[in-house]
Amino acid sequence: MRISKIYAREILDSRSNPTIEVEVETPSGITARAAVPSGASTGKHEAVELRDKDSTRYGGKGVLSAIKSVECVIAPELMGMSVFDQRAIDRAMIALDGTECKSNLGANAMLGTSLAVAKLAAKLLRMPLFRYIGGVDAHILPIPMFNIINGGRHSDSPVAFQEFMIRPVAARSFKEAMRMGVAVFQVLKDELKHRGLSTAVGDEGGFAPAFDSTEDILQTMTVATEKAGFTPGSDVTFALDCAATEYYNGCYDYRLFEGNAGVKLTTAEQVDYIAYLVDKYPIDSIEDPLSEDDWHGWQSLTEKIGNRCQVVGDDLCTTSPKRIYRAIRERSCNAVLIKPNQIGTLTETIEAVRMAQHAALKTIISHRSGETEDTTIAELAVALGTGQIKSGSLTRSERMAKYNQLLRIEEALGEDATMG
């Protein structure tokens, strides 16, 4: 039951960039492994992933330095520790790194190790990971947020907003939620073909055609939802990831993505624009509508629309208990996105979720744009009862792996399974 070996390897993520996979072993030869994703649109307050910066390999994005952290620094420290002592293992790595942003060991090296340990412990106890982490009461399946149209840095589409999602809120089971999402996605594909638009997909699996504007996208989503047989706003709602930090330079400069068609907005104007979209369309979740340090803007928007819409802090909170605490204290958002690689260990991820939940903030477990086949976030969504999950679109196997795992979990739970 004790750690006898830890090793790591360089694998490729869904964008063909290197990432790290960590494997942990017991003296009896039983192993478990975890792969770490990577984001394209990253906030400056996220924990640091270690990259080699060697231009002769993978354009400097290699992770041999992170592998060295695992095998030469982390492994000797953790050798002989019980795989069931997750908090002690994570505390040891945090102390070993010694920085708030995980810049010495790398959040990717630490998270890969942390998750591999948890998966090994669950394997030794012959129980699902969601049950090992969440205990006997883990039974809530998350409402999926299907990314059906990509914009921003996730595509070549000249639209600043990064993700346009649907939420099948009327689904009574995860299986039904999948069916509803697929129905809208397939109708949307036909709509795009009818308009002569591309049906190629972006980094997260959503379509990425050259729409005329944000409202063009939302109107098209409305048509696709209705043609699929659902009522927008009651059966299916919309969610946006505005990724506002990406086009903030003292103001919200949409020209950075939208060229001459874009506008420049002050914080007050951005708040009014987001509120206008929420009023006009069946939007019930807005992620990163303001820049990561525009705290006043976040407060203003949450006060304005928070009673009818999720205002989701991603770049604002970066899965950091410290920043989540400030968001709670200042009422800057009413929901938090949870990305384990933003913080670096399983223990800190759980702490971030519990802090948000105890303050009545909604929580959403999330993938990254550079993903792997690892399904840990699906397990975490059920284990921690987040009630919502972002794992991309209804295409690309690294996205579907998470959704398919949730179908298996729902089947295993049987009548105990409920939707978030």
Side-chain angles (χ1 to χ4, degrees):
M1 302 300 186
R2 298 191 176 274
I3 296 171
S4 64
K5 188 176 182 181
I6 303 177
Y7 48 99
R9 62 180 62 89
E10 189 177 61
I11 63 172
L12 297 181
D13 69 17
S14 59
R15 294 180 307 189
S16 74
N17 288 329
T19 190
I20 189 170
E21 182 175 75
V22 179
E23 202 143 347
V24 181
E25 187 173 323
T26 66
S28 60
I30 300 174
T31 66
R33 62 175 178 261
V36 180
S38 179
S41 173
T42 55
K44 68 182 181 182
H45 301 292
E46 293 189 25
V48 175
E49 59 177 14
L50 219 53
R51 297 280 179 177
D52 300 340
K53 300 180 181 178
D54 176 0
S55 60
T56 65
R57 293 187 74 252
Y58 293 112
K61 294 182 178 180
V63 293
L64 298 182
S65 52
I67 291 173
K68 186 176 180 181
S69 283
V70 171
E71 298 183 343
C72 299
V73 185
I74 294 174
E77 181 74 13
L78 303 187
M79 212 65 67
M81 293 184 72
S82 169
V83 297
F84 301 118
D85 205 346
Q86 186 75 44
R87 292 185 66 85
I89 287 169
D90 289 348
R91 281 199 308 269
M93 287 194 290
I94 292 167
L96 202 59
D97 174 83
T99 69
E100 186 174 344
C101 62
K102 315 295 194 297
S103 58
N104 284 335
L105 297 179
N108 46 351
M110 294 173 65
L111 182 64
T113 305
S114 181
L115 295 182
V117 167
K119 292 170 87 170
L120 181 56
K123 189 174 184 179
L124 289 168
L125 292 174
R126 298 182 182 180
M127 64 171 57
L129 182 60
F130 80 88
R131 183 66 72 205
Y132 172 69
I133 295 173
V136 296
D137 194 43
H139 69 285
I140 299 173
L141 272 294
I143 296 171
M145 303 172 74
F146 297 123
N147 179 343
I148 60 172
I149 295 175
N150 289 183
R153 292 191 64 182
H154 290 173
S155 79
D156 294 325
S157 180
V159 175
F161 289 0
Q162 195 160 266
E163 297 178 55
F164 295 81
M165 296 164 280
I166 54 171
R167 289 167 26 90
V169 292
R172 292 167 293 180
S173 67
F174 193 80
K175 185 176 182 179
E176 185 181 6
M178 291 294 292
R179 181 192 63 79
M180 292 172 68
V182 168
V184 176
F185 189 72
Q186 295 296 345
V187 171
L188 177 60
K189 185 175 184 178
D190 291 340
E191 285 295 303
L192 297 181
K193 286 181 177 179
H194 180 71
R195 288 180 55 178
L197 296 173
S198 170
T199 55
V201 299
D203 285 349
E204 297 185 354
F207 299 118
F211 280 102
D212 294 334
S213 65
T214 292
E215 291 205 60
D216 182 21
I217 294 175
L218 291 167
Q219 289 162 5
T220 304
M221 289 170 62
T222 301
V223 169
T225 300
E226 292 172 341
K227 286 189 175 182
F230 305 115
T231 302
S234 57
D235 296 328
V236 175
T237 58
F238 299 167
L240 305 181
D241 176 4
C242 304
T245 301
E246 297 292 325
Y247 46 92
Y248 183 77
N249 57 3
C251 66
Y252 294 91
D253 191 351
Y254 286 80
R255 299 174 304 173
L256 296 175
F257 283 96
E258 301 177 2
N260 293 332
V263 296
K264 293 172 65 176
L265 301 179
T266 64
T267 291
E269 289 170 335
Q270 177 77 350
V271 167
D272 288 342
Y273 175 52
I274 297 299
Y276 158 78
L277 292 176
V278 170
D279 288 339
K280 186 173 181 180
Y281 298 97
I283 299 167
D284 66 352
S285 183
I286 293 276
E287 178 186 333
D288 282 348
L290 294 137
S291 183
E292 59 197 350
D293 289 317
D294 190 354
W295 290 92
H296 175 72
W298 280 89
Q299 289 175 315
S300 177
L301 182 65
T302 301
E303 183 178 356
K304 192 164 191 173
I305 68 170
N307 63 334
R308 63 187 190 278
C309 183
Q310 287 187 146
V311 182
V312 185
D314 175 19
D315 289 346
L316 180 76
C317 297
T318 57
T319 317
S320 163
K322 180 178 179 181
R323 290 184 69 84
I324 291 171
Y325 177 75
R326 179 177 176 183
I328 292 168
R329 189 180 71 245
E330 298 183 9
R331 299 182 180 180
S332 302
C333 60
N334 59 17
V336 177
L337 205 70
I338 301 296
K339 296 174 176 175
N341 81 320
Q342 286 183 329
I343 192 65
T345 66
L346 175 59
T347 298
E348 291 167 294
T349 301
I350 295 171
E351 181 185 350
V353 172
R354 296 304 183 218
M355 177 179 288
Q357 291 174 334
H358 289 161
L361 269 64
K362 295 180 181 178
T363 50
I364 307 164
I365 202 81
S366 178
H367 66 156
R368 300 309 298 258
S369 55
E371 263 297 341
T372 73
E373 304 91 340
D374 191 296
T375 60
T376 301
I377 63 166
E379 306 275 352
L380 287 177
V382 180
L384 304 179
T386 60
Q388 301 175 80
I389 189 171
K390 278 181 63 177
S391 187
S393 192
L394 289 144
T395 184
R396 298 182 61 129
S397 61
E398 78 278 358
R399 315 292 155 182
M400 299 306 300
K402 284 73 165 171
Y403 296 136
N404 288 336
Q405 183 65 7
L406 284 165
L407 289 172
R408 298 183 192 104
I409 292 173
E410 182 174 61
E411 181 183 86
L413 286 170
E415 293 182 358
D416 290 334
T418 60
M419 288 294 288

